[in-house]
Amino acid sequence: MFAAKEPFTMKNPIFGFSKLTKTQKIDWIANHYFNHNPEATSILKAYWNDDPSLQKLHDDFIENTLSNYYLPLGVAPNFLINDTLYTIPMVIEESSVVAAASNAAKFWIQKGGFKATVLSTEKNGQIHLDYYGNKKNLELFFTEIKPLLFESIADIQKNMEKRGGGLLNIQLRNVTETLSGYYQLRCTFETLDAMGANFINSCLEAIATTFEAEAQKFKAFKDAQQFPKVVMSILSNYVPNCLVRAEVSCHVNDLEQNDINGTEFAEKMLRAVAIAKASPSRAVTHNKGIMNGIDAVVVATGNDFRAVEAGVHAYASKDGTYSSLTHASLENDIFKFWIEIPLALGTVGGLTSLHPMVKFNLQLLKNPSAKELMKIVAVAGLAQNFAALRSLVTTGIQKGHMKMHLMNILNGLQASETEKKKAVQHFKETTISQTAVSDFISSLKK
Ligand code: MEV
């Protein structure tokens, strides 16, 4: 077994950890954090894939891979989107999310389903500049070298251009009123079916290099001995011009359910949305529920959920206060419920052709284009919000949530299969809580 040459302390960190073999890394972790307990090693190994080549593929996704971390992959069927029927894959740990999505899908399939439209697909990135010289000189310089900046990425964007995408425009922006000496080159891109992060960042860095090199030769800068300097070049995850809208609508009478009539239900839904618009505290939870649906599909399709989260929440604050991402109206007896969000997604590149589960999920979605995936993901968010609000304004959320969570509580209590069956039966009629389930299982054991 591998042992560290010297004891590991705060004063003696390990350098070169990434150079160790996987077995050495695991041994090091077991030795230093688990007191040599062999269970620490076996739990990591128990989650390895039986197929070594598949495991190697996962090992190579990141640095210092020790094992795999499972999350359930579930599916929500019956999603009718623009008259096409989808079964949507969702990767998520929260018990009630897939059930809620399926419920919403079932509810709306009888009312014409979801309609979704991509409004725009533009991505953007910035080259952040420091410049304290004469503004006019910078503007002159930028106008002069703009064609050269485009030329500087000819090789990088050759393939993207062939497919109809690439760099759309570069603008010089003066941001000195916000931060002294701060200018930006704002670049906009069309990246088609790719999320485009690597493409955009490569373009930005090449443009930045040309920009700085040319600046050194520009006479007015030389005369004043004031040159613009590149601070950094990076894409923005705020993509307000990469927008998708999803919507459901029906006659208010068609909303009637159980013991509540359509108008009463519609008014409750409208009020719930109005509250999320009025109160940032509520809006955060309201939008979190939307992200339950969005993230689950974004992860299932191998997309970057942190990028999506960051961009969507920034969009929720676009008018100055954090607000609801969904909207509702009731006009001429027609109830409408919709979402409009920025989503930078890809269906080629990244993990899409590497991760076997991602490939499977994309195939399940009929190998969508990025635009189609934007629609599906927006619908998943809208459906999730509809399901959450529907519960919140009628039965309350806990009834359905705890029903789905019961199995987690039972597993946590290490209940046997027979005990689980009895508990499921018992809690059909009884309120579920950790204590109630624990007491019930104890009573069975007596
Ligand atoms: C829980 O994950 C999500 C909800 O809190 C969303 C909401 O309150 O709208 C139920």
Side-chain angles (χ1 to χ4, degrees), residues 202-237:
S202 300
C203 289
L204 293 174
E205 288 188 4
I207 294 168
T209 306
T210 304
F211 181 88
E212 242 178 3
E214 292 300 315
Q216 289 302 313
K217 302 182 216 156
F218 191 65
K219 187 164 178 317
F221 293 151
K222 274 208 278 195
D223 290 347
Q225 279 302 294
Q226 295 268 22
F227 296 92
K229 289 211 169 57
V230 171
V231 180
M232 58 188 166
S233 311
I234 188 76
L235 93 166
S236 172
N237 290 123

Side-chain angles (χ1 to χ4, degrees), residues 94 282 285-286 288-289 292 388 392 397:
E94 192 174 325
R282 172 57 200 149
T285 318
H286 178 98
K288 186 274 181 185
N292 278 344
L392 284 167
I397 205 76

Side-chain angles (χ1 to χ4, degrees), residues 73-90:
L73 159 65
V75 291
N78 298 323
F79 268 95
L80 187 63
I81 306 175
N82 296 344
D83 301 322
T84 301
L85 199 55
Y86 290 93
T87 295
I88 300 188
M90 303 179 91

Side-chain angles (χ1 to χ4, degrees), residues 92 247 267:
I92 191 147
E247 178 185 308
E267 277 166 1

Side-chain angles (χ1 to χ4, degrees), residues 94 96-97 282 284-290 292 384-385 388-389 392 397 401:
E94 192 174 325
S96 52
V97 169
R282 172 57 200 149
V284 170
T285 318
H286 178 98
N287 291 346
K288 186 274 181 185
I290 294 172
N292 278 344
Q384 206 65 41
N385 187 232
L389 296 188
L392 284 167
I397 205 76
H401 188 77

